[in-house]
Amino acid sequence: MEFLTIIQVLDSTVRLATPLLLACLAGLFSERAGIFDIGLEGKMLMAAFLSAAVAAVTGNVWLGLLAGIASSLVLAGLHGVASITFRGNQLISGVAINFLAAGMTVLIAQDWFQQGGRTPSLLREGRFGGLELPFAIGPSDAEAAGRPLSELIAEAGMFQQIYSELLSGHSILVYAAFLAVPLTWWVLFRTRFGLRLRAVGENPAAVDTAGVSVVGLRFAAVAICGLLCGIAGAYLATALQAGFVKDMTAGRGFIALAALIFAKWRPWHAMGACLLFGLLQAVALRFQNIELGSVTIPVQVMDALPYILTVVILAGFVGKAIPPRAGGEPYVKER
């Protein structure tokens, strides 16, 4: 395998891992506060639809992003009210959000655009384009040279290939997602808010005794979860693809949950787990049929690899992962 091909696979890995990483960090905030959220999938799906729909109608991708975030925050609020205010079953609430989003997105899309439950393809102004970093070989260089961009990169040196193909050319949401990893670590482990948030997930009674609002902290965690899921869904529809199609999240919310368990609720490990899942997806897209000696692995097996790994992780083959002790348990204030 050529070096440039490896770089291109890693480039696809970064792009495909971005929505998983955002959703994984969303679940990290929520579950660290003791609120299990199975509804990551539903919030991403709703955000993907609203962001694509608004971007298609207005031609402004930033308005689409705001619409996607707003829709995800609404669903996060519903989950918070059901599981925190009314102390309902958190898993059932999350599953209900998934079903609600799966049905509403197709119904509204069909009524709005009459295109079989999808939105129109987004034009250039309705999508997040790639950012060309300084000194990287980009489309402007190819246009000036009158040659294909792939040829210019192939003729460049190894470090220039890494910089131009792997580090440069991503949308702003990709860079934001990976910058969110150290920010999440700093918030959770270096701030008073993060200390209290983690304490709420371990011993909410002790936090309440200290005079800190358990309900307020858990709603804050749910809101952060909704924000990150909104960005993840918007990225799917306005950056990774050019519009919304039915069930376009394709189980990414559940894969993000598996990555979260794999990472044992730690931000840096979550990034590594999401990159692993992204790598499997990138390999499946790049190599349709892999030959191992006389055996040819069909493309269907490659496509199923991320989901197989999800099952393996959830079956407990990665060591014992201990969730926050108060996770999934509604808090009842003592009188």
Side-chain angles (χ1 to χ4, degrees):
M1 185 183 299
E2 296 181 356
F3 179 76
L4 183 57
T5 302
I6 297 175
I7 296 299
Q8 291 170 344
V9 171
L10 294 178
D11 177 69
S12 298
T13 297
V14 170
R15 298 176 192 273
L16 293 169
T18 296
L20 297 178
L21 179 58
L22 288 166
C24 189
L25 294 177
L28 177 63
F29 274 101
S30 182
E31 297 197 8
R32 278 286 190 172
I35 303 297
F36 289 160
D37 196 349
I38 303 295
L40 299 177
E41 179 88 358
K43 288 194 282 290
M44 290 173 64
L45 189 63
M46 184 64 75
F49 165 66
L50 258 296
S51 61
V54 172
V57 171
T58 64
N60 190 319
V61 68
W62 291 102
L63 290 179
L65 174 63
L66 291 177
I69 292 174
S71 65
S72 180
L73 285 173
V74 169
L75 292 183
L78 289 176
H79 181 59
V81 169
S83 58
I84 301 173
T85 304
F86 294 106
R87 297 191 286 272
N89 187 292
Q90 298 173 9
L91 300 182
I92 293 177
S93 174
V95 171
I97 287 175
N98 289 337
F99 281 117
L100 179 66
M104 285 187 63
T105 51
V106 176
L107 181 65
I108 299 174
Q110 175 61 24
D111 181 69
W112 195 347
F113 300 105
Q114 289 85 41
Q115 294 189 11
R118 66 174 63 203
T119 63
S121 296
L122 299 179
L123 302 177
R124 184 174 181 179
E125 295 78 10
R127 294 190 64 195
F128 283 103
L131 298 179
E132 186 176 329
L133 298 181
F135 310 111
I137 300 175
S140 59
D141 300 292
E143 185 177 352
R147 300 172 59 191
L149 178 60
S150 58
E151 288 186 6
L152 294 181
I153 295 179
E155 294 173 359
M158 180 178 64
F159 293 105
Q160 182 62 254
Q161 289 178 350
I162 295 174
Y163 183 68
S164 300
E165 187 73 20
L166 181 58
L167 300 181
S168 179
H170 299 289
S171 73
I172 190 172
L173 297 184
V174 173
Y175 298 111
F178 283 90
L179 287 175
V181 176
L183 180 60
T184 298
W185 173 84
W186 180 77
V187 169
L188 286 177
F189 298 100
R190 289 297 183 269
T191 66
R192 180 179 299 179
F193 171 76
L195 174 62
R196 291 174 173 176
L197 193 73
R198 289 183 288 121
V200 164
E202 296 292 338
N203 192 343
V207 175
D208 194 16
T209 303
V212 180
S213 173
V214 173
V215 171
L217 280 171
R218 286 189 165 179
F219 265 110
V222 168
I224 295 172
C225 176
L227 170 66
L228 293 173
C229 282
I231 299 174
Y235 171 81
L236 280 174
T238 61
L240 190 63
Q241 298 185 33
F244 173 84
V245 295
K246 178 183 177 183
D247 295 329
M248 71 180 304
T249 48
R252 285 181 172 88
F254 300 107
I255 293 177
L257 285 175
L260 184 59
I261 296 171
F262 190 16
K264 300 180 181 178
W265 295 270
R266 293 173 292 184
W268 291 105
H269 296 76
M271 182 179 72
C274 292
L275 286 172
L276 174 61
F277 281 108
L279 176 62
L280 293 177
Q281 292 179 338
V283 170
L285 290 174
R286 181 80 182 186
F287 305 102
Q288 296 297 304
N289 293 287
I290 296 181
E291 295 184 1
L292 297 178
S294 59
V295 179
T296 300
I297 301 178
V299 63
Q300 291 82 0
V301 174
M302 301 302 300
D303 289 335
L305 277 180
Y307 305 97
I308 294 173
L309 182 59
T310 301
V311 174
V312 169
I313 289 173
L314 295 180
F317 290 101
V318 294
K320 190 175 183 181
I322 302 175
R325 286 185 294 176
E329 299 178 3
Y331 177 67
V332 181
K333 186 179 180 68
E334 295 182 1
R335 298 185 182 274

